[in-house]
């Protein structure tokens, strides 16, 4: 097996001199500019003329954008492994997954001892390195809930907390020459990193054979172990030989000379890449990512992992991967998908859709921001297409206030990007929500009564359809699809970007009022009346927990007044202040972007279990409905009630103008509970009060909900369009208009 099929990687090996202080950093940046994939530094913590390597790696990572950074190799005896693991994970998170880890057993023992390190024999050093690898991998395994215990002879941890999971699977490469180190490399490491200068003829082949046999003994595929090599400047032909006959996948050029780095990058690297690719094509051996036995064992049935398109393979996440814990769940639902594909371009979305199409029996979740309340942007054992990387925000026409936004962007970032122009786009109340899910369903936001729904601002939407075609739908091009994408988009295809016409919005009044709502029914009616009689500048949302007998029930009311005039804001809030006794109040004049930035945390989602929530659109909060809601709040089955005002500009749009049809409603009501059957029974009994349903707040998988959301004419038109654009019902796992049972 001379060629292990690893995609070629080129790196540089820069001396970490600290005088002049920035010399090594400049060479690292040059490496990135020249197209290298990796920059590495030796690690000699006892050497005063060198920067500390971790500090240097951090500085370099912050000064570059694309290139990976690694030590070549770390001096383990002076780097406590649990701390080293956390340092690496931190920098990996900060740098967007650009940290790799070279490790060595030690050497230069006098210097290590002089620094307070412990002298080990070569055999002890190898054992210590093996223990350190177990500790580091254990720290990174944030998905494992039990505390980490490794009872090593040289390194032991006793109940260490795990995490954070790094942003990508940090590979561990060992600098190894001797049999015991080679055996450890085969048994545990992700890569072998020797220097050609230290090797005699035949050493590479012997080393590979030793690693391969140790790998097989450990139940591993030898291709799991990348072969890296520190080299001087060599001609392309020799490197091609090393790649194809000795299995080298990563070449690291040791030089501090800018001219040498440039010459190699321009003359040698491209030639090696194309000659190796041509020879691999001729031999019929492509590139492949080999996975460990433990990871393979966690793969799910029904998914052909070997057919993941090459464009997606490197960023795809499977259950055995370190970053799986970061992508498996969404905001409210615990998930355990078989694979998460993370396309970085529209073409890659097309590839992902082709992969999904080839798996007709496998659940398919489409995820933008992962805040979907139904939770269908994750699943159990299925495919998830995660559009988080398509998050660009770009002003395309300043005069017409046209903005193009990627589906993976978050509303907090959209608001921040529009603020300098004095613009805003009403989205929802929470900045962490993703653009794709909200802008394909509706978008009930802080400016709804004045400016309508988010979908009312969509002027065109780019969609990848089930057959892989890419359509930019607007009022003239495929107007049917354009209509369907505004309210039922999740059924039709994957929206990759939207063009919005946004509004001029300056500072707004943002009120947060706490009311004694113990007389709940009266309070709800009073608040709703205040909303309906307010001018459109006012949009108000209400939230309440369960009612507890004998205790004051507090309702939180938020209101945005689209005015920068404090007097006008206070005047418009007066009717609300009179609804019930106020227990807390704050009113501020704030940019819309600041309102959207409230409480947003950029963390992976850790939803657990199944969300249970129901929702409805209602025209008015009548005394009867308010009494019924109060009884519901008393039932013990509801832990959260929210009501958002719509109406106003939302109702100006005819109900057949978009697939979102519930235009007569003044309120969107939703509740969250824990016991699905009990909540369904109580909620279904209220249906006489409902005039429709907004899909974004419901979790009920029963097909009837689709008919609640879409009146008969809307549903019939949706089915016709669906039949044309998705006849195989690929996009079926979230309120499917075809009403077929979900797999
Ligand atoms: C804390 C919180 C507050 C909220 N507040 C509001 C609010 O004030 N107003 C409001 O209107 N909504 C609100 N919502 C609901 C929110 O609009 C929906 O949950 C929305 O679907 C989330 O979008 P997402 O991209 O983050 O979700 P995801 O979980 O990524 O997606 C949800 C669903 O949308 C579909 N989908 C996602 N991306 C695409 C795409 N690119 N193309 C086609 N279909 C796609 C899929 O069917 C998917 O299952 C809130 C949700 C939460 C959790």
């Amino acid at each position: 097996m001379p060629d292990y099929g690893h995609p070629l990687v080129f790196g540089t090996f820069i001396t970490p001199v600290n005088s002049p202080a920035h010399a090594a950093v400049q060479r690292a940046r040059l490496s990135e500019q020249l197209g290298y994939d990796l920059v590495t530094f030796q690690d000699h913590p006892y050497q005063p003329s060198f920067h500390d390597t971790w500090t240097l790696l951090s500085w370099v990572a912050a000064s570059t954008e694309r290139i990976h950074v690694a030590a070549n190799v770390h001096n383990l005896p002076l780097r406590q492994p649990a701390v080293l693991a956390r340092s690496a994970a931190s920098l990996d998170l900060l740098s967007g997954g650009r940290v790799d880890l070279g490790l060595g057993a030690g050497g230069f023992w006098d210097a290590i001892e002089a620094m307070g390190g412990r002298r080990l024999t070569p055999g002890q050093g190898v054992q210590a390195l093996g223990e350190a690898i177990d500790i580091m991998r254990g720290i990174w395994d944030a998905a494992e809930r039990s505390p980490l215990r490794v009872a090593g002879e040289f390194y032991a941890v006793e109940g260490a907390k795990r995490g954070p999971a790094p942003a990508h699977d940090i590979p561990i490469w060992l600098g190894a020459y001797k049999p015991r180190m080679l055996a450890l490399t085969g048994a545990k490491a992700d890569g072998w990193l020797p220097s050609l200068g230290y090797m005699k003829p035949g050493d590479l082949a012997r080393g590979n054979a030793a690693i391969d046999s140790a790998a097989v003994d450990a139940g591993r595929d030898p291709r799991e172990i990348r072969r890296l090599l520190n080299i001087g400047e060599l001609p392309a032909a020799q490197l091609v030989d090393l790649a194809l006959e000795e299995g080298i996948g990563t070449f690291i050029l040791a030089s501090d000379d800018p001219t040498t780095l440039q010459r190699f990058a321009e003359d040698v690297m491209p030639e090696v890449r194309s000659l190796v690719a041509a020879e691999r094509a001729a031999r019929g051996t492509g590139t492949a990512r080999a996975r460990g036995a433990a990871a393979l064992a966690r793969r799910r049935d029904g998914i052909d992992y070997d057919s993941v398109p090459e464009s997606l393979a490197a960023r795809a996440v499977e259950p055995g991967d370190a970053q799986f814990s970061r992508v498996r769940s969404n905001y409210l639902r615990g998930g355990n998908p078989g694979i998460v594909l993370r396309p970085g371009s529209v073409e890659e979305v097309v590839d992902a859709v082709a992969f999904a199409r080839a798996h007709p029996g496998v659940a398919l979740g489409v995820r933008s921001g992962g805040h979907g309340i139904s939770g269908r942007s994750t699943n159990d054992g299925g495919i998830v297409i995660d559009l988080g990387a398509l998050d660009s925000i770009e002003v395309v026409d300043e005069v017409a206030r046209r903005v193009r936004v990627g589906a993976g962007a978050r509303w907090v970032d959209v608001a921040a990007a529009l603020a300098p122009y004095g613009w805003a786009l009403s989205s929802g109340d929470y900045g962490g929500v993703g653009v794709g899910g909200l802008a394909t369903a509706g978008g009930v936001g802080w400016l709804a009564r004045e400016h309508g729904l988010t979908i009312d601002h969509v002027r065109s939407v780019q969609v990848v359809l089930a057959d892989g075609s890419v359509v930019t739908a607007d009022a003239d091009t495929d107007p049917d699809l354009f209509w369907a994408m505004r309210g039922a988009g999740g059924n039709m295809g994957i929206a990759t970007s939207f063009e919005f016409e946004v509004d001029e919005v300056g500072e707004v009044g943002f009120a947060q009022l706490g009311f004694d709502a113990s007389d709940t029914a009266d309070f709800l009616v009073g608040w709703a009346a205040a909303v309906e009689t307010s001018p459109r500048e006012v949009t108000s949302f209400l939230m309440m927990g369960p009612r507890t007998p004998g205790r004051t029930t507090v309702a939180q009311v938020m209101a945005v007044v689209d005015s920068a005039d404090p007097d006008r804001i206070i005047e418009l809030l007066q009717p609300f202040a009179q609804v019930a006794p106020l227990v807390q109040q704050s009113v501020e004049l704030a940019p819309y972007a600041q309102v959207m930035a409230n409480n947003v945390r950029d963390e992976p989602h850790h939803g657990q279990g199944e969300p249970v929530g129901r929702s409805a659109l209602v025209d008015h909060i009548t005394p009867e409905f308010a009494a019924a809601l109060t009884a519901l709040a008393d039932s013990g089955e509801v832990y959260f009630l929210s009501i958002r005002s719509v109406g106003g500009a939302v109702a100006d749009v005819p109900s057949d103008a978009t697939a979102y049809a519930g235009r007569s409603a003044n309120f969107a009501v939703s509740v969250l509970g824990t016991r699905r059957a009990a909540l369904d029974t109580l909620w279904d009994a209220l249906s006489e009060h409902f005039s429709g349903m907004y899909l974004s707040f419901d979790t009920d998988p029963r097909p009837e909900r689709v008919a609640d959301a879409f009146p008969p004419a809307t549903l019939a038109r949706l089915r016709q369009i669906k039949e044309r654009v998705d006849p195989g019902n690929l996009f079926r796992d979230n309120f499917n208009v075809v009403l077929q049972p979900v797999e």
Side-chain angles (χ1 to χ4, degrees):
M1 193 187 289
D3 178 7
Y4 299 93
H6 297 129
L8 287 187
V9 168
F10 290 93
T12 57
F13 193 0
I14 308 288
T15 315
V17 288
N18 56 21
S19 178
H22 285 272
V25 180
Q26 279 157 5
R27 286 170 191 142
R29 294 182 61 168
L30 177 67
S31 304
E32 178 168 84
Q33 283 157 18
L34 291 171
Y36 289 91
D37 311 296
L38 169 70
V39 57
T40 69
F41 306 96
Q42 20 180 331
D43 182 30
H44 296 289
Y46 34 73
Q47 173 59 271
S49 60
F50 286 175
H51 282 303
D52 166 66
T53 300
W54 259 112
T55 310
L56 178 61
L57 290 172
S58 304
W59 196 282
V60 165
S63 314
T64 52
E65 288 179 355
R66 180 191 52 80
I67 202 163
H68 278 229
V69 299
N72 192 345
V73 291
H74 278 299
N75 185 300
L76 181 64
L78 289 175
R79 305 271 178 200
Q80 205 271 0
V83 177
L84 182 60
R86 215 155 259 154
S87 306
S90 295
L91 189 56
D92 201 50
L93 290 168
L94 289 166
S95 66
R98 294 193 284 129
V99 173
D100 303 329
L101 206 96
L103 270 184
F108 304 100
W109 293 105
D110 291 344
I112 290 169
E113 261 192 328
M115 289 284 286
R118 176 176 173 187
R119 181 184 292 270
L120 301 176
T121 65
Q124 290 172 331
V126 177
Q127 185 182 335
L129 182 52
E131 293 167 5
I133 292 174
D134 293 344
I135 291 172
M136 298 183 67
R137 294 235 175 87
I139 292 281
W140 291 336
D141 188 3
E144 175 61 52
R145 305 245 180 252
S146 62
L148 177 65
R149 293 182 206 284
V150 176
E153 191 178 331
F154 299 95
Y155 297 114
V157 288
E158 268 302 318
K161 289 201 166 113
R162 297 174 190 264
H168 85 306
D169 278 305
I170 297 179
I172 295 180
W173 306 324
L174 301 188
Y177 297 93
K178 301 276 175 52
R180 275 181 296 211
M181 279 290 281
L182 294 169
L184 179 67
T185 307
K188 287 194 177 172
D190 305 300
W192 178 35
L193 175 49
S195 293
L196 189 59
Y198 296 152
M199 308 191 85
K200 299 189 299 294
D203 277 357
L204 272 176
R206 277 189 288 277
N208 275 330
I211 290 170
D212 293 356
S213 108
V216 170
D217 288 349
R220 305 178 75 197
D221 181 336
R223 292 175 306 162
E224 288 175 45
I225 301 140
R226 177 174 275 275
R227 317 298 154 121
L228 307 93
L229 193 61
N230 292 320
I231 56 167
E233 200 181 4
L234 295 175
Q238 198 174 336
L239 298 183
V240 172
D241 261 12
L242 284 164
L244 296 172
E245 310 309 328
E246 309 278 8
I248 305 300
T250 300
F251 294 102
I252 303 178
L253 175 63
S255 174
D256 292 325
D257 172 32
T259 316
T260 306
L261 296 179
Q262 182 167 0
R263 193 170 48 233
F264 187 83
E266 289 175 357
D267 299 345
V268 181
M269 269 158 46
E271 195 179 344
V272 177
R273 282 192 203 281
S274 75
L275 288 172
V276 168
E279 183 56 26
R280 280 179 173 166
R283 292 180 183 182
T285 59
T287 54
R289 177 180 169 213
R291 299 182 59 77
L296 288 174
R298 292 166 74 174
R299 283 185 161 177
R300 305 296 294 266
D301 291 343
I303 297 179
D304 179 7
Y305 289 89
D306 292 337
S307 68
V308 173
E310 203 168 319
S311 61
L312 297 165
R315 284 170 46 81
V317 185
E318 296 179 24
D321 292 335
Q323 64 274 46
F324 187 65
S325 65
R326 306 175 69 81
V327 300
R328 63 188 296 174
S329 299
N330 52 28
Y331 189 76
L332 286 179
R333 185 177 187 220
N336 193 18
I339 190 163
V340 178
L341 301 174
R342 300 188 294 173
S345 65
V346 177
E347 296 72 38
E348 290 177 16
V349 175
V350 172
D351 292 345
V353 167
F355 183 77
R357 214 171 39 237
H359 292 80
V362 175
L364 171 64
V366 177
R367 178 186 299 167
S368 289
H371 273 70
I373 293 197
S374 72
R376 303 295 131 180
S377 60
T378 190
N379 52 42
D380 184 11
I383 299 165
V384 170
I385 300 178
D386 184 327
L387 302 156
L390 300 184
D391 60 354
S392 61
I393 304 167
E394 175 193 359
V395 174
V396 290
D397 184 338
E398 206 168 326
V399 176
R401 295 194 305 276
R402 291 284 187 101
V403 184
R404 187 174 305 126
V405 183
R410 308 297 178 114
W411 291 109
V412 62
D413 299 319
V414 176
L418 300 187
Y421 296 87
W423 300 342
L425 171 57
S426 187
S427 50
D429 58 18
Y430 190 67
V433 166
V435 167
L438 183 133
T440 48
V444 175
W446 289 125
L447 303 168
R449 293 185 72 244
E450 189 177 25
H451 293 296
L453 301 174
T454 310
I455 55 168
D456 300 337
H457 295 261
V458 179
R459 296 294 171 262
S460 72
V461 51
Q462 185 186 53
V463 194
V464 176
L465 297 177
D467 67 358
S469 53
V470 182
V471 181
T472 300
D474 60 20
D476 302 317
T477 308
D478 204 338
D480 276 340
L481 178 63
F482 183 49
W483 173 86
M485 288 305 295
R486 290 171 294 157
N491 267 278
M492 301 297 156
I494 297 186
T496 46
S497 65
F498 303 80
E499 200 170 303
F500 297 104
E501 184 178 327
V502 301
D503 296 301
E504 276 174 354
V505 177
E507 289 196 311
V508 297
F510 182 49
Q512 298 180 81
L513 312 173
F515 288 96
D516 177 349
S518 301
D519 195 348
T520 302
D522 265 8
F523 172 76
L524 293 175
V525 171
W527 170 78
V531 170
E532 286 200 47
T533 52
S534 290
R536 292 180 173 195
E537 292 141 277
V538 183
T539 296
S540 179
F541 294 179
L542 174 157
M543 293 170 189
M544 251 178 63
R547 283 163 37 101
T548 314
R551 293 183 54 184
T552 306
T553 301
V554 174
Q556 295 293 338
V557 166
M558 276 85 68
V560 165
V561 182
D562 185 13
S563 168
D565 173 0
D567 293 337
R568 176 81 178 150
I569 293 167
I570 298 301
E571 178 197 335
L572 294 184
L573 290 173
Q574 275 311 322
F576 290 87
Q578 284 153 19
V579 170
L582 273 168
V583 295
Q584 171 261 327
Q585 57 174 306
S586 106
V587 182
E588 57 185 318
L589 193 59
Y592 175 81
Q594 190 178 312
V595 177
M596 288 303 290
N598 281 347
N599 300 319
V600 177
R601 286 176 299 158
D602 181 20
E603 286 176 358
H605 293 141
H606 290 299
Q608 290 190 3
E610 285 289 331
V612 175
R614 295 297 305 275
S615 76
L617 292 169
V618 300
D619 288 352
H620 308 286
I621 310 276
T622 59
E624 296 74 27
F625 182 49
L629 277 182
T630 307
L632 193 65
D634 284 339
S635 68
E637 293 299 341
V638 163
Y639 67 83
F640 188 69
L641 161 74
S642 62
I643 310 183
R644 291 170 171 82
S645 54
V646 270
V650 178
D652 290 345
V653 178
S655 67
D656 61 356
T658 61
Y660 176 103
R663 300 284 179 171
S664 66
N666 279 300
F667 300 97
V669 185
S670 55
V671 292
L672 292 174
T674 45
R675 301 193 314 154
R676 184 182 292 282
L679 182 63
D680 282 345
T681 306
L682 292 171
W683 191 256
D684 290 345
L686 304 182
S687 62
E688 65 184 283
H689 302 285
F690 303 157
S691 61
M693 199 263 266
Y694 172 36
L695 288 181
S696 281
F697 290 131
D698 214 280
T699 70
D700 184 2
R702 290 174 296 175
E704 302 90 284
R705 293 297 75 78
V706 174
D708 288 349
F710 307 113
T714 305
L715 189 52
R717 187 172 171 195
L718 282 172
R719 286 190 179 146
Q720 264 175 11
I721 300 166
K722 174 87 172 167
E723 184 55 36
R724 173 169 63 86
V725 299
D726 185 16
N729 203 15
L730 184 65
F731 303 107
R732 65 187 175 281
D733 283 355
N734 199 19
F735 299 108
N736 190 204
V737 295
V738 180
L739 303 188
Q740 278 181 353
V742 174
E743 294 284 335

